């Protein structure tokens, strides 16, 4: 029975050492499962009791009970001490908290001005019952020109300096007007859509021209659509975006896909007697528009006896530059942090 006595002593010393070195709750829990749980060392010692003679049981029974009581008490005391010291440490931390310390500035992202303007424009048109339409930026000759009543070799193609791809008949769309045709082919009539998106033109860049810019296309097809629907829509939109009661001026123009075609100017939202934005003319050119040419409707399979429509194309990049007073278009894609930070 010497061995059981030795085992009791060993339990006592290993348990004490383990407990002393347990410095957090996780370690403490590990000590508990190793020594005191149902599958722990203490239970194993207790198990041995039933193999002993009555005489030995009399000696070791009380000893083992004592050991059990002692180890459980010691464990509880140690646990309480640990919790207390953790609380004290937390309290000390709070007492030494420096309320005057400065936080290092956090970097916050912001939306790009073009995204801002796109969201505003979309909200205005959605409130008027429009849907958002979309189309590819790599277009076919058919959608960018042919279906819009601009046949091959027609001089009107010169209005759009085009980036042609190496693959025949493919190009980077020069305007968002091809989305008109996609929308007419896809959607049911009547139809009211806008399509904000990127366009590409093969031209030299300066403060007001870039080879990449954004347009906003609008298209409404219904019965009895007239020029006054177009003008009222444009006016409602422009007043909502500039938050001002602006005057509109309409000039005759030419686009192969609208007949009649017009260009719309607005009174400068930034001045009353001329400024650099309106080049001291008081008027700003803002969009091209017109009634959809019957050939365009026919190309999309629409009955021109029954339906008519209007379309408009705003320079969305230009709108952003006007609303945020951006004086160089190239800043928009410069990736300059100092520029972008202004729009947070
Ligand atoms: N797509 C024309 C352009 O890029 C603008 C426009 C759109 C004109 C719709 C009339 C109707 O200049």
């Amino acid at each position: 029975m010497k061995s059981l006595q030795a085992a009791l002593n060993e339990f006592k010393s290993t348990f004490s050492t383990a407990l002393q070195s347990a410095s957090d709750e996780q370690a403490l829990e590990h000590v508990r499962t190793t020594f005191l749980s149902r599958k722990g060392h203490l239970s194993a010692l207790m198990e041995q009791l039933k193999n002993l003679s009555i005489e030995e049981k009399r000696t070791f029974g009380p000893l083992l009970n004592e050991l059990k009581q002692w180890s459980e008490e010691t464990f509880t005391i140690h646990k309480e001490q640990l919790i207390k010291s953790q609380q004290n440490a937390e309290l000390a931390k709070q007492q030494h908290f420096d309320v005057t310390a400065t936080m290092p500035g956090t970097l916050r992202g912001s939306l790009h001005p073009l995204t801002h303007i796109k969201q505003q424009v979309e909200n205005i048109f959605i409130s008027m019952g429009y849907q958002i339409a979309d189309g590819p930026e790599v277009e076919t000759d058919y959608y960018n020109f042919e279906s819009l009543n601009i046949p091959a070799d027609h001089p009107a193609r010169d209005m759009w300096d085009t980036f042609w791809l190496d693959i025949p008949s493919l190009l980077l769309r020069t305007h968002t007007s091809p989305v008109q045709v996609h929308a007419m082919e896809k959607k049911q009539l009547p139809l009211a859509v806008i399509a904000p998106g990127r366009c590409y033109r093969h031209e030299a860049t300066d403060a007001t021209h870039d080879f990449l810019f954004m347009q906003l296309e609008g298209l409404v097809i219904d019965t009895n659509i007239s020029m006054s629907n177009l003008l009222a829509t444009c006016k409602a939109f422009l007043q909502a975006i500039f938050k001002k009661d602006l005057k509109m001026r309409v000039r005759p123009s030419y686009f192969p896909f609208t007949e009649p075609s017009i260009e719309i100017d607005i009174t400068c939202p930034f001045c009353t007697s001329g400024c650099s934005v309106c080049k001291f003319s008081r008027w700003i050119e803002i969009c091209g528009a017109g009634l959809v040419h019957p050939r365009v409707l026919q190309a999309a399979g629409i009955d021109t006896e029954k339906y008519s429509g209007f379309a408009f194309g705003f320079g969305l990049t230009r709108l952003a530059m006007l609303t945020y007073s951006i004086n160089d278009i190239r800043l928009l894609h410069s990736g300059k942090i100092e520029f972008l930070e202004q729009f947070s």
Side-chain angles (χ1 to χ4, degrees), residues 32-45 47:
R32 195 191 64 76
T33 42
T34 321
F35 291 91
L36 308 179
S37 72
R38 281 206 297 135
K39 288 189 177 143
H41 298 330
L42 188 64
S43 297
L45 289 176
E47 270 301 290

Side-chain angles (χ1 to χ4, degrees), residues 45-339:
L45 289 176
M46 292 286 202
E47 270 301 290
Q48 290 189 29
L49 201 61
K50 58 178 187 246
N51 304 327
L52 301 182
S53 65
I54 300 195
E55 192 116 331
E56 285 166 335
K57 273 186 188 148
R58 261 195 216 125
T59 325
F60 284 104
L63 279 182
L64 273 167
N65 273 337
E66 234 170 71
L67 183 69
K68 184 168 190 286
Q69 214 179 342
W70 170 83
S71 54
E72 280 171 1
E73 274 170 16
T74 318
F75 181 82
T76 314
I77 291 167
H78 190 83
K79 187 170 180 175
E80 277 164 5
Q81 276 172 354
L82 189 76
I83 291 171
K84 191 124 210 131
S85 70
Q86 274 174 346
Q87 282 170 347
N88 286 344
E90 191 56 36
L91 220 64
K93 222 161 77 187
Q94 281 172 17
Q95 272 167 2
H96 293 106
F97 182 75
D98 182 1
V99 284
T100 62
T102 45
M103 271 266 285
T106 40
L107 267 181
R108 294 192 66 206
S110 59
L111 291 180
H112 193 278
L114 287 173
T115 312
H116 269 298
I117 198 85
K118 184 171 159 259
Q119 288 178 350
Q120 285 178 49
V121 164
E122 286 179 350
N123 285 343
I124 295 169
F125 277 103
I126 285 170
S127 76
M128 296 203 268
Y130 281 66
Q131 287 186 326
I132 316 282
D134 201 3
E137 286 172 33
V138 173
E139 258 305 354
T140 59
D141 183 325
Y142 176 76
Y143 283 106
N144 197 80
F145 292 127
E146 200 86 27
S147 62
L148 291 167
N149 195 29
I150 318 167
D153 304 322
H154 193 285
R157 287 208 177 191
D158 288 349
M159 291 167 76
W160 296 275
D161 300 308
T162 311
F163 280 115
W164 290 94
L165 301 194
D166 284 344
I167 308 159
S169 295
L170 281 190
L171 49 89
L172 296 181
R173 71 176 176 198
T174 57
H175 49 178
T176 42
S177 298
V179 186
Q180 285 187 35
V181 187
H182 288 297
M184 286 191 269
E185 285 176 349
K186 253 187 259 155
K187 297 235 160 60
Q188 301 223 313
L189 302 181
L191 181 81
V193 291
I194 54 155
R198 289 194 196 98
C199 306
Y200 303 81
R201 300 244 176 117
H202 189 278
E203 56 184 325
T205 56
D206 60 27
T208 51
H209 298 87
D210 206 349
F211 55 84
L212 164 65
F213 60 97
M214 284 190 84
Q215 276 194 343
L216 170 76
E217 196 78 12
L219 173 72
V220 171
I221 309 278
D222 206 340
T223 49
N224 298 319
I225 290 292
S226 72
M227 205 56 143
S228 42
N229 298 127
L230 166 62
L231 297 180
T233 306
C234 287
K235 186 154 193 179
F237 164 65
L238 289 165
Q239 292 192 343
I241 196 93
F242 288 111
K243 300 178 186 76
K244 267 193 183 157
D245 188 16
L246 301 160
K247 280 209 182 74
M248 259 178 27
R249 179 171 81 174
V250 176
R251 287 177 290 116
S253 186
Y254 170 71
F255 299 102
F257 33 90
T258 45
E259 181 58 38
S261 301
I262 58 168
E263 256 169 74
I264 298 176
D265 301 339
I266 51 166
T267 44
C268 180
F270 307 105
C271 69
T272 46
S273 55
C275 67
S276 60
V277 179
C278 63
K279 301 199 182 81
F280 299 93
S281 71
R282 283 291 290 122
W283 292 99
I284 291 182
E285 199 184 304
I286 201 86
C287 92
L291 295 183
V292 182
H293 197 292
R295 285 215 198 119
V296 177
L297 295 174
Q298 279 155 8
I302 290 174
D303 180 359
T304 48
E305 293 295 316
K306 191 170 168 202
Y307 290 104
S308 54
F310 68 74
F312 54 80
F314 283 89
L316 197 57
T317 300
R318 192 164 144 70
L319 272 182
M321 289 174 70
L322 285 173
T323 6
Y324 299 118
S325 303
I326 299 166
N327 58 12
D328 193 329
I329 192 172
R330 292 164 295 192
L331 283 169
L332 291 164
H333 292 116
S334 64
K336 283 195 178 133
I337 285 285
E338 322 81 77
F339 169 71

